[in-house]
Structure formats: C-alpha cells, structure tokens
Amino acid sequence: MPFEKKILCIGAGYVGGPTMAVIAQKCPQHKVSVVDINPERISEWNSDDLPIYEPGLSEIVKEVRGRNLFFRTDIGEGIKEADIIFVSVNTPTKDYGVGAGKAADLQYWEQTARQIVEFSHSPKIIVEKSTVPVKTAQAMERIVRSESNDTKFDVLSNPEFLSEGTAVNDLQNPDRVLIGSMETESGLKARDTLVEIYANWVPRERIITTNIWSSELSKLAANAFLAQRVSSINSISALCEKTDADITEVATAIGMDSRVGDKFLNASVGFGGSCFQKDILNLVYLCRYYGLEEVADYWESVVRINQYQQERFIFKVLNAMFNTLSGKRICLFGFAFKANTGDTRESPAIFIAKKLLEENATIVITDPEALRNARADLEGVNSNIDYIEDPHEAARGCHAIAVMTEWDLYRSLDFKRIYDGMVKPAFIFDGRNILNHAELFEIGFNVFPIGKPAMTHF
Ligand code: NAD
Ligand code: UGA
C-alpha cells in the first residue's frame, strides 16, 4: 500500500526523534522520515543504542523503524518528496553579536529554510516545531517565497510541550496540541491538514488552533510560567532556611489551593534543561526590543533567582564544611538536569561541579544515564574528577554527598553502608529534598536539605 502522506522532520534531536516516532506509531498510513546534518546522530537512531535516553522510546522506535519511520541523511531527497516538513532544529541562545546572551540564534533555522527552497518542487506545509521568537514564521515565509521558485509554501506554528523523561507519554497523551496558522484560505487549509494528523490519536477538543503569533508566543510564555513557579518556590525556600519554616509544608499548603495547583512546586538546587533559561532570555530580549523594560525585568528575575539558588547551594556547602573544601572529596549524586533523562544541558550540576573544583575539591560524579554527557561537559575543566556508576562505590572515601538529580534509585540506597565508607564528619546536601532526612541524621550524617532546617551533630 502506498503511503498517504510523506512527512519529514529536519532535526533528529530530543524533540525530532521522539515526536516523529510517536507520529509514525499512531499514523501507519503516513511515511515519516527524520533527517539531520549530523550523520552520526542518524546512524545512532538506526542502531540499538539510540542517541538519547527516554523511557519507552526504544520500544516504539523498534516497532516502527523500517515500517513507516526512517532516519536518513539525504536531506535534499527528503525535502523533495515531503508534503509536510517539521523543522525541529536547535535554537540556542546567541553567543555572539547583537543580542548575545539573550536572543535566539536562528542560524540553523534559517539554513533549513534555504534548504527547503532549494529542494522543493511541489507544495509544502512547513511546520515550526522548534521554539522560536514571535514573528519567526514571517521570516520563514519571506525566505521561502523570495526565490523565483513558484512552489506553494504554507508555514504553521506547532510548538512542542513535551518534557524530557516523560516525552513518550506527553506525546501520546498531550494536555493540548497547539497549531497556529495564517488566517488566509490557504493557511487555514494547511492547519486543517495538520489537525487531521494529530486527530489520529489526540481528542479533537485537545487540539487548539490560534493565529500564528499567539501560537509562537504561547510556547515562550508557557515555559516562562513553568520556570517562574520553580523560581517562586525556590525564593521561598531561601526564606524558610532563615526562619525554620519547612518548604515542603509551605508548598503543600500553597498547592492545595486549587487556583494554584500542586505541580511544579518542588524546591531544588535550581532548574536546568536546554529550554527554560534560553526561552525566558528570548522573551526578555523580545520585550526589550519592543521597549517593554518593566516586563523584561520581571521575567529576567526568574533567571536571576535560579542563578541565586545555585550560588546559595555552594555557599551552604562551603559554610557547613568549615569554609574550606580544599582537598576534600565531594560526591555528586546525579548530573542530569532532571530524573529519567541522560540530558545534562544547563544542568545545575555543571555549575556546582565547576564551583567545587574552583575550591580545590575533588569531585566524584555518579549518574545512571548521564555520565557520558557529564564527561563531555567537564572535558578539559580539571582533572580532579572521577566518574563512577555505582553510587555506593562513588561515595566511598568522600567527605560529602550532594544530590543534584532526583533519580528514584537514590531514595533506596543503603545509606548506613555509605556512611560507614565516608570520611567523618559526613555531610549530605540534598539539592532535591528526596531523601529521608531524619533517617540520615540518625545514621550519623549532617543533613542539609533545601528550604528546611539543617540537622547537624555539632
Ligand atoms: P537538539 O539539539 O537535540 O536537536 C536539534 C538537531 O537539529 C541536532 O541533531 C542538529 O544536528 C540538527 N540540525 C541543526 N541544523 C540542522 C540543519 N540545517 N539541517 C538538519 N539538521 C539540523 O535540540 P532539541 O532539544 O531537539 O530542540 C529542538 C527545538 O525544540 C528547540 O527549538 C527547542 O527549544 C525545542 N524544544 C525542545 C524540547 C526538549 O525537551 N528538548 C521541548 C520542547 C521544545
Ligand atoms: C520543560 C517544559 O516542562 C516542557 O513543557 C517544555 O516542552 C520543555 O521544557 C521545553 O520547551 O524544552 P523539561 O525542561 O524537559 O520540560 O523538564 P521540566 O520537567 O520542565 O523540568 C525543568 C527543570 O525544572 C528541571 O531541572 C527540573 O528538575 C526543574 N524543576 C521542575 C524543579 O526544580 N522543581 C519542580 O517542581 C519542577
């Protein structure tokens, strides 16, 4: 049976790979191809060792790869045959020129626009999957329509809301799918085509359609709101530590108000991940561009509090350990920016690790999925780093443990055994509040949670 539609995704990363795997799984009638400029990434997607760790993903890839999901390197051919092209390339914060440190770097985005024009000879629907500044669709339209090529292009915005670690479930059962389009006859028709794809598995009432600028802005605003909740609770955690209030109790009390809700109120060493900070900075840049200084300052404070929370953590370690870390061994439990992923992009653990090394400490890093990325992040930084997969082994001979990632496995370790193997006095800094602090204290640890009174034997 020939395929009904040919779907292409440009960018085989954390979004492109899982998103297309789920579309292929739910739409066996369509051919789904994923291309990337990085041929190594493509060959990893074609192997048993996928380039990203995401629970449940490898099973889906095994089920659909070669059936109607294809990871390929022939970008031009892929574009030529496609009816719908998702663009899911990276849009990092710009680190050069105008807007450095704030604006989105759209160079990869623009490259794909030019590739699309070069290879297109039949009508295409181009779908913005990457997170982009508001009005990017306009730039895409201008580029693809600027050539003498009379191919018909429609540009849609369809931001992705998946979270790493739960990506498969988020894609299979999304809270909502958002599709923004131009409000022209052709734009609305393209929008309906994309709605039909998602309607294969997403209930219609969860597929929302808006104008294209609302869709682009909603993505930036959604991440800003989520990050703001984390910074809000983290800011209160600082006050808890000064007043003997307990952040878990405060969060429960706040979250039980149904208007506030109880999600995303876990105080932590800080938020990480490739998107929260970059998307807020992007929002801040946009606000300043439009002269909205107060609005920009407001959102920028979310990033400032996040930085402050990480610095606070380091000061706490330093103060508690008699103001010197020189020559001490400190074990980081977790390096990923959150549990159930091997992704370490913007992980607070990177900042903490570098600061500990600056204090002349030796660090031991353990993580069930992120050691490969941790090594890459810290390459050339310092040689006082050991990477040890088994947390019991990793903590042996250490003066302190700092929990960076909320991996479930850390909740059920044999902490008596760990304590016995450590240098005394032994410290635990729980940057995720996932451990049983009273039990650790009983064992003999000096325990420093986030936003709760410390428990020390001094
Ligand atoms: P990523 O870095 O994992 O993947 C991007 C891929 O695009 C890379 O493999 C890169 O080689 C490829 N690429 C770059 N330029 C290309 C080109 N011209 N042609 C072909 N391939 C090219 O990034 P990601 O995490 O998947 O994020 C992609 C976008 O999705 C970003 O805009 C991000 O903000 C957004 N987003 C990410 C997440 C997430 O959880 N990671 C969630 C929602 C939205
Ligand atoms: C986030 C959003 O949740 C997704 O909706 C969005 O699609 C994605 O960004 C994106 O655009 O990239 P993600 O970064 O994968 O997803 O993970 P989150 O679960 O949002 O966690 C982000 C960070 O906040 C992590 O470091 C996490 O540990 C931290 N966090 C989260 C807290 O410290 N406390 C909380 O209560 C929740």
Side-chain angles (χ1 to χ4, degrees):
M1 272 254 295
F3 290 112
E4 283 176 23
K5 284 204 171 5
K6 296 201 172 103
I7 296 172
L8 176 73
C9 178
I10 304 182
Y14 285 87
V15 170
T19 311
M20 292 304 122
V22 169
I23 292 185
Q25 183 192 38
K26 301 294 185 184
C27 308
Q29 71 277 31
H30 301 319
K31 176 180 177 184
V32 181
S33 301
V34 188
V35 292
D36 201 287
I37 32 164
N38 179 350
E40 252 169 57
R41 245 199 175 171
I42 292 296
S43 61
E44 284 171 346
W45 280 110
N46 280 320
S47 74
D48 286 338
D49 191 14
L50 301 185
I52 64 172
Y53 170 70
E54 195 56 56
L57 180 63
S58 64
E59 289 80 354
I60 298 177
V61 170
K62 274 194 193 119
E63 175 192 335
V64 294
R65 196 172 54 195
R67 180 190 81 181
N68 66 327
L69 177 66
F70 304 90
F71 293 98
R72 311 163 41 174
T73 46
D74 53 341
I75 301 182
E77 263 318 296
I79 292 172
K80 252 184 222 161
E81 70 173 32
D83 305 300
I84 303 175
I85 302 175
F86 286 84
V87 180
S88 187
V89 298
N90 36 327
T91 50
T93 305
K94 210 175 159 194
D95 59 7
Y96 55 90
V98 175
K102 292 239 160 49
D105 185 347
L106 294 174
Q107 60 169 311
Y108 308 103
W109 176 259
E110 180 164 338
Q111 272 164 23
T112 61
R114 294 186 187 281
Q115 285 167 320
I116 292 171
V117 198
E118 184 183 343
F119 293 103
S120 291
H121 306 293
S122 59
K124 312 283 176 203
I125 296 174
I126 302 171
V127 185
E128 282 181 352
K129 201 40 147 171
S130 302
T131 304
V132 290
V134 189
K135 294 280 174 183
T136 301
Q138 193 172 54
M140 173 65 94
E141 278 209 334
R142 285 180 180 159
I143 295 169
V144 293
R145 289 189 179 150
S146 61
E147 295 278 324
S148 48
N149 181 343
D150 56 4
T151 307
K152 180 170 166 301
F153 294 104
D154 283 294
V155 180
L156 298 174
S157 158
N158 171 223
E160 185 48 61
F161 294 105
L162 69 78
S163 276
E164 290 178 30
T166 54
V168 169
N169 184 54
D170 295 342
L171 288 163
Q172 290 177 330
N173 306 294
D175 285 348
R176 79 305 206 183
V177 166
L178 174 59
I179 302 175
S181 65
M182 301 290 181
E183 284 160 321
T184 57
E185 195 187 328
S186 162
L188 296 175
K189 201 163 157 240
R191 177 196 76 184
D192 292 345
T193 304
L194 190 57
V195 168
E196 285 310 315
I197 304 274
Y198 282 107
N200 281 287
W201 78 98
V202 181
R204 291 275 174 162
E205 64 278 10
R206 294 206 182 170
I207 305 177
I208 51 177
T209 56
T210 63
N211 84 37
I212 199 156
W213 321 124
S214 307
S215 173
E216 288 180 333
L217 183 55
S218 298
K219 173 62 197 179
L220 292 183
N223 271 358
F225 270 58
L226 288 168
Q228 178 207 42
R229 273 178 83 91
V230 180
S231 278
S232 295
I233 203 72
N234 281 345
S235 71
I236 300 297
S237 78
L239 190 54
C240 284
E241 287 170 31
K242 298 282 185 206
T243 57
D244 289 342
D246 179 321
I247 195 63
T248 307
E249 293 175 355
V250 174
T252 305
I254 300 170
M256 280 178 74
D257 185 326
S258 58
R259 294 169 301 178
V260 177
D262 61 2
K263 296 202 176 117
F264 253 69
L265 289 179
N266 294 322
S268 65
V269 58
F271 61 72
S274 62
C275 293
F276 274 3
Q277 175 167 310
K278 118 175 134 56
D279 292 349
I280 295 176
L281 293 177
N282 187 342
L283 186 66
V284 167
Y285 184 74
L286 271 176
C287 293
R288 296 212 194 281
Y289 174 82
Y290 288 109
L292 303 172
E293 294 298 327
E294 285 76 4
V295 185
D297 290 345
Y298 174 73
W299 287 109
E300 198 160 35
S301 71
V302 172
V303 175
R304 271 208 305 278
I305 288 289
N306 197 48
Q307 191 56 39
Y308 169 70
Q309 188 74 349
Q310 295 171 54
E311 282 159 10
R312 237 166 50 72
F313 190 86
I314 282 292
F315 280 124
K316 194 193 295 186
V317 175
L318 194 54
N319 280 342
M321 296 181 73
F322 320 114
N323 291 312
T324 174
L325 301 177
S326 190
K328 292 181 179 168
R329 264 175 98 76
I330 301 185
C331 183
L332 300 187
F333 271 20
F335 206 80
F337 81 97
K338 64 184 284 199
N340 301 318
T341 175
D343 194 352
T344 59
R345 291 179 292 178
E346 303 295 332
S347 176
I350 300 176
F351 175 84
I352 301 295
K354 288 184 176 166
K355 287 286 169 196
L356 293 175
L357 291 167
E358 277 175 24
E359 293 294 333
N360 287 340
T362 293
I363 56 172
V364 185
I365 300 174
T366 180
D367 189 294
E369 294 293 339
L371 288 191
R372 187 171 60 165
N373 283 334
R375 275 199 176 88
D377 294 331
L378 298 174
E379 201 186 317
V381 170
N382 190 309
S383 56
N384 292 336
I385 312 173
D386 289 329
Y387 300 90
I388 301 180
E389 192 139 340
D390 176 354
H392 290 100
E393 282 305 309
R396 192 191 302 276
C398 287
H399 297 72
I401 293 170
V403 179
M404 294 285 102
T405 313
E406 72 281 22
W407 287 102
D408 261 345
L409 81 103
Y410 299 145
R411 296 173 204 263
S412 52
L413 298 175
D414 181 348
F415 278 101
K416 174 75 179 80
R417 196 178 122 204
I418 289 176
Y419 178 77
D420 288 343
M422 289 178 66
V423 178
K424 313 295 179 314
F427 295 82
I428 283 200
F429 301 91
D430 186 354
R432 295 290 181 167
N433 285 346
I434 54 166
L435 302 180
N436 185 332
H437 301 139
E439 208 174 282
L440 293 171
F441 178 69
E442 277 300 304
I443 290 173
F445 282 104
N446 297 295
V447 187
F448 292 80
I450 299 271
K452 295 169 191 268
M455 302 164 89
T456 65
H457 295 281
F458 308 122

